[in-house]
Amino acid sequence: MKSLFAAALVLAAPVAAAEVTASGPDHYVLKHEAVSDLAPEALWKKLIRPETWWHPDHTYSGDAANLELDAAAGGLWREVWEGGSVSHGQVLLAKPGEQLRLDAPFGPLQEMGVAVVWTITLSAEGAGTKVVFDEVASGSSASGLDAIAPAVDFVKSEAIARLTASPE
């Protein structure tokens, strides 16, 4: 039942655009846009609590409740569970209600030695908020980032849909 509800939530979220805008063996660039009914301040509060919107399938522990984010420069997006922990990213820029930028080589990108900068921008749109995810990854030509870009695009498409979904 829980996964059925989550799937409905993702399908109901209004994703305006999601795409791999450029890719090659040594890089990829992603852009995702969506609009939420939440005002920028409320969406910021949701954004900095990834345990409320990040999909548990994309965690090491299988439980998004183990995620936490210290939304200040130098702070970590990390996951801590019995028997382990991982830093998913480090905050490079935090402008509450406006922008969050992370050095964020999530998942397999860490072990590949890939540099990833993920910028999340919030701006008022009517009574709600436009959310833009911009992600740039770079590595060696042996990284094969053009092959992994569609999978990362899927994860970030799912993430923006869950972030911008209206609370029930």
Side-chain angles (χ1 to χ4, degrees):
M1 182 67 159
K2 184 177 174 184
S3 61
L4 190 57
F5 174 73
L9 198 63
V10 169
L11 292 174
V15 174
E19 65 178 314
V20 177
T21 62
S23 69
D26 63 347
H27 74 284
Y28 67 73
V29 179
L30 306 177
K31 185 174 194 82
H32 299 88
E33 297 181 4
V35 177
S36 171
D37 292 337
L38 297 173
E41 299 78 23
L43 191 60
W44 177 264
K45 287 178 183 176
K46 185 176 180 182
L47 171 65
I48 64 172
R49 296 192 59 233
E51 70 275 14
T52 66
W53 58 273
W54 191 259
H55 199 293
D57 286 352
H58 307 302
T59 64
Y60 282 77
S61 66
D63 187 352
N66 294 324
L67 297 172
E68 55 187 51
L69 173 61
D70 175 7
L76 296 178
W77 175 321
R78 66 187 201 145
E79 181 177 354
V80 179
W81 67 97
E82 186 177 327
S85 65
V86 63
S87 170
H88 291 289
Q90 183 172 19
V91 176
L92 300 172
L93 171 74
K95 293 170 67 177
E98 297 178 33
Q99 196 168 60
L100 181 68
R101 181 171 299 128
L102 301 157
D103 175 358
F106 281 37
L109 297 168
Q110 281 185 356
E111 63 191 66
M112 294 169 64
V114 172
V116 179
V117 175
W118 180 21
T119 302
I120 303 166
T121 305
L122 311 179
S123 58
E125 181 151 315
T129 303
K130 179 178 180 181
V131 180
V132 179
F133 286 3
D134 289 297
E135 181 166 319
V136 178
S138 59
S140 74
S141 58
S143 301
L145 291 176
D146 49 347
I148 198 170
V152 178
D153 182 60
F154 172 79
V155 169
K156 293 299 169 61
S157 292
E158 188 176 62
I160 200 168
R162 290 171 65 94
L163 175 62
T164 58
S166 297
E168 292 299 314

